[in-house]
Amino acid sequence: GWQASMKSGSLSYIIPCNRLPVQLMSQVRVYTSNGQKKDLGSEGTNGSTPQETPHKVGTGRQDTSNAGQKQSFLKEPIQVKVKAVLKKREYGPKYTQNNFITGVRAINEFCLKSSDLDQLRKIKRRSPHDDTETFTVYLRSDVEAKSLEVWGSPEALARERKRRKEAEIKYRENLFRNQRLLREYKEFFGNTKPRSSTAAMFFKGPGKVVMVAICINGLNFFFKLLAWVYTGSASMFSEAIHSLADTCNQALLALGISQSARTPDPSHPYGFTNMRYIASLISGVGIFMMGAGLSWYHGIIGLLQPHPIESLLWAYCILAGSLVSEGATLLVAINEIRRSARAKGLSFYQYVVQSRDPSTNVVLLEDAAAVLSVAVAATCMGLTSLTGNPYYDSVGSLGVGTLLGTVSAFLIYTNTEALLGRSIQPEQLQRLTELLESDPVVRAIHDVKATDMGMSKVRFKAEVDFDGRVVTRSYLEKQDIELLLQEIQQVKTLEELEAFMLKHGENIVDTLGAEVDRLEKDLKQRNPDVRHVDLEIL
């Protein structure tokens, strides 16, 4: 571990040290052949006698060649540069002394009261939330020390944590009973809350379309069922089953709309938007099983065991009324999709295929299939009444089942694609990429991912290569340069240099974090569809 350097005949020993290197100088004298001695030590060092010098060369008995070699050796000194570095600090596998902790975590994890935190140091940091600029945090070491002061020992703190955990588990077990008591209190004192936003969702937009469809299809099912009981027509039975399937599926869509409006919680931090797609997917499966399956079954039975059909007058009347009502619902759905597509800058076809609004899509396709199936059923029933052949009626039932199967397959495909997390359109992704790359603080972006989370909500993620010079200049522009120069001139030791670099290094890192927040805010403001932005520093 020793390092030696020889310069101008001096021997320098450098001892390893945690602070500054310490140099020990030993003097070297060289005696020439004529008896003279040359002191090659450092200035201001007293000479020593030949007996005291351990490194000496013989006098008259040495030849001139040895002296010449020594002089040439002294003319060419060997220099070894030693680099002064700070000793590496070992932090160990777990280091939390400089960690920050919020007040809520301090109270919950260390069993403290809010009054206990008033005595601790408060530190203002940048807030991770959009609605606030700064928030207060505490040093974890201070919180740990305060908890030991309050509870006396780590064992007592552990017992208190265990007790609170058991109480939380017991509360969860009695959650159903607590909810029932809460409902009783509300009934006793009256519900003074304003109308929830969930109920208001069914008076406009997709919710309104779904509620209109539920009412109309429910009435259609009732009258078609009466017509089937009166006539025994297989096509009319298929129509009744079709209306029942539509009513049940649209009730499921209404449930999905109400669930999608729930507030995000710790178990679902990104919310419940996908509940609409889940409800639409189940609706597609329901159409396939109830509508298509039963229609095919009844049509096959009619082909294998044909039976005569009674008067079809009432059936025609009910089909005509169903055509008018289903057509009205279809127009409501078409107008809603046109309005939404125009707001998003998409065509009608793109909006439907991309399943931007799954609930309205289901109503649109179900009502379109209903109008077509009414036409198919009326045609087949007319052929049966004209020819007296019941096979036409059974073929009509198979045609209605095939139409429902096609609609259900399309719904299953589009909603599955949406639930898998598909990417946004390339044009929109290009706009987001150009917005980031045009910022001076960004050198390049890599691994860009933009996922459509459904219902016009986009999650954007990218690896960003930041320009450190621009970030540093942004920090310096906010500082007093003269005061900063004075701080630099006052740095004389390694300890002062370390303190200076740690102070301004942390501030530059905070500046980088502020730049990340600014970029995320700009992305959200210029692209309202972007709700979640994850910019990772490369």
Side-chain angles (χ1 to χ4, degrees):
W2 289 69
Q3 300 179 10
S5 66
M6 300 183 64
K7 181 177 181 182
S8 302
S10 299
L11 188 62
S12 171
Y13 296 96
I14 300 178
I15 302 176
C17 179
N18 294 339
R19 301 294 182 182
L20 292 175
V22 179
Q23 297 185 354
L24 297 179
M25 307 297 295
S26 63
Q27 192 176 36
V28 178
R29 290 186 178 86
V30 180
Y31 291 82
T32 61
S33 59
N34 58 6
Q36 288 182 336
K37 63 179 181 180
K38 295 182 179 180
D39 191 353
L40 303 177
S42 59
E43 294 182 1
T45 305
N46 296 329
S48 60
T49 61
Q51 291 79 11
E52 294 174 351
T53 304
H55 306 285
K56 65 181 179 177
V57 185
T59 57
R61 290 173 295 182
Q62 288 186 333
D63 53 9
T64 57
S65 62
N66 292 336
Q69 292 177 359
K70 291 183 177 357
Q71 290 177 359
S72 62
F73 172 75
L74 295 175
K75 290 179 180 178
E76 299 177 358
I78 300 176
Q79 297 183 359
V80 180
K81 294 183 179 180
V82 180
K83 184 178 181 180
V85 296
L86 289 175
K87 183 181 178 181
K88 183 178 180 181
R89 180 174 295 180
E90 298 294 339
Y91 292 99
K94 184 178 180 181
Y95 183 81
T96 59
Q97 294 301 314
N98 294 333
N99 286 16
F100 293 142
I101 186 172
T102 61
V104 175
R105 285 190 59 192
I107 293 174
N108 293 335
E109 296 182 11
F110 293 91
C111 305
L112 296 176
K113 300 178 181 178
S114 58
S115 58
D116 297 331
L117 302 179
D118 295 338
Q119 307 171 10
L120 303 181
R121 288 178 292 178
K122 298 178 178 62
I123 303 172
K124 293 290 185 180
R125 301 293 295 175
R126 288 183 303 103
S127 174
H129 308 290
D130 296 335
D131 54 349
T132 55
E133 294 184 358
T134 60
F135 73 127
T136 304
V137 294
Y138 304 88
L139 274 175
R140 186 185 182 95
S141 56
D142 293 348
V143 174
E144 291 176 348
K146 185 64 178 180
S147 65
L148 293 179
E149 176 186 342
V150 172
W151 296 103
S153 65
E155 292 77 12
L157 177 60
R159 287 194 299 269
E160 178 63 18
R161 286 175 175 171
K162 183 179 179 181
R163 187 190 67 80
R164 294 192 179 188
K165 187 67 176 179
E166 292 174 351
E168 181 181 358
I169 295 175
K170 185 177 180 181
Y171 171 79
R172 290 181 178 178
E173 291 175 351
N174 298 329
L175 184 60
F176 178 77
R177 183 175 61 87
N178 294 333
Q179 290 178 345
R180 180 171 57 82
L181 292 176
L182 183 61
R183 286 195 299 269
E184 293 178 357
Y185 281 126
K186 286 183 178 180
E187 292 175 358
F188 180 76
F189 291 104
N191 191 359
T192 59
K193 290 185 177 181
R195 178 179 293 180
S196 63
S197 58
T198 304
M201 294 178 62
F202 294 103
F203 294 96
K204 61 181 180 179
K208 178 182 177 181
V209 175
V210 171
M211 295 305 296
V212 170
I214 289 175
C215 297
I216 292 179
N217 285 318
L219 292 175
N220 287 339
F221 164 71
F222 177 74
F223 289 113
K224 287 179 181 179
L225 185 64
L226 292 179
W228 170 71
V229 172
Y230 179 74
T231 62
S233 170
S235 297
M236 186 55 65
F237 175 80
S238 297
E239 279 300 306
I241 294 299
H242 183 187
S243 297
L244 175 62
D246 288 350
T247 305
C248 295
N249 291 330
Q250 285 151 7
L252 184 63
L253 292 178
L255 178 62
I257 291 175
S258 64
Q259 292 295 314
S260 66
R262 292 171 58 188
T263 305
D265 55 27
S267 300
H268 305 85
Y270 291 104
F272 299 85
T273 305
N274 284 339
M275 281 301 300
R276 294 197 183 190
Y277 292 96
I278 295 173
S280 299
L281 178 62
I282 299 174
S283 177
V285 176
I287 293 173
F288 184 81
M289 294 179 63
M290 291 182 61
L294 288 176
S295 297
W296 284 333
Y297 171 78
H298 209 73
I300 292 173
I301 293 298
L303 291 176
L304 297 178
Q305 300 175 359
H307 60 276
I309 300 178
E310 302 295 335
S311 175
L312 298 178
L313 178 61
W314 286 105
Y316 288 138
C317 294
I318 292 174
L319 284 179
S322 176
L323 181 63
V324 173
S325 60
E326 297 284 4
T329 309
L330 179 62
L331 289 177
V332 173
I334 290 175
N335 292 332
E336 177 63 25
I337 290 180
R338 281 179 177 175
R339 185 186 62 80
S340 301
R342 192 182 305 111
K344 298 296 180 183
L346 299 174
S347 65
F348 185 89
Y349 175 77
Q350 289 176 334
Y351 193 89
V352 174
V353 171
Q354 294 176 14
S355 190
R356 294 281 181 166
D357 187 354
S359 303
T360 308
N361 275 2
V362 171
V363 175
L364 171 72
L365 295 175
E366 285 183 348
D367 290 339
V371 172
L372 293 176
S373 63
V374 166
V376 170
T379 301
C380 293
M381 289 169 60
L383 291 174
T384 299
S385 62
L386 291 176
T387 62
N389 188 354
Y391 287 110
Y392 289 110
D393 187 61
S394 300
V395 171
S397 180
L398 292 176
V400 173
T402 303
L403 185 61
L404 293 177
T406 303
V407 171
S408 65
F410 179 80
L411 290 176
I412 292 172
Y413 171 76
T414 55
N415 287 284
T416 301
E417 285 291 314
L419 289 173
L420 288 177
R422 62 192 172 192
S423 177
I424 62 176
Q425 294 300 310
E427 297 81 9
Q428 187 180 4
L429 182 60
Q430 182 66 23
R431 288 197 302 268
L432 296 176
T433 303
E434 291 176 354
L435 177 61
L436 281 179
E437 290 180 336
S438 61
D439 196 279
V441 80
V442 177
R443 281 177 173 166
I445 59 174
H446 309 277
D447 192 23
V448 180
K449 294 183 178 67
T451 306
D452 187 355
M453 300 176 61
M455 299 305 300
S456 301
K457 293 183 180 180
V458 176
R459 181 180 180 183
F460 182 84
K461 176 261 178 188
E463 301 275 352
V464 183
D465 185 3
F466 286 91
D467 191 338
R469 294 175 178 269
V470 177
V471 174
T472 305
R473 181 175 294 277
S474 175
Y475 168 70
L476 293 176
E477 290 173 352
K478 303 174 184 177
Q479 305 301 315
D480 187 345
I481 299 299
E482 294 183 357
L483 181 61
L484 186 62
L485 183 59
Q486 292 178 3
E487 291 184 20
I488 296 174
Q489 293 173 349
Q490 293 175 359
V491 174
K492 303 298 182 183
T493 63
L494 286 179
E495 289 82 357
E496 294 176 351
L497 176 62
E498 179 184 6
F500 177 83
M501 294 300 297
L502 291 177
K503 171 187 174 182
H504 292 282
E506 183 177 8
N507 293 338
I508 291 175
V509 172
D510 289 341
T511 303
L512 177 59
E515 293 293 335
V516 173
D517 293 342
R518 179 182 62 81
L519 290 175
E520 292 179 350
K521 188 175 181 180
D522 289 346
L523 283 175
K524 293 178 180 179
Q525 287 181 347
R526 299 189 184 186
N527 300 271
D529 290 348
V530 179
R531 302 295 181 88
H532 307 282
V533 181
D534 299 322
L535 298 182
E536 300 181 5
I537 300 174
L538 186 61

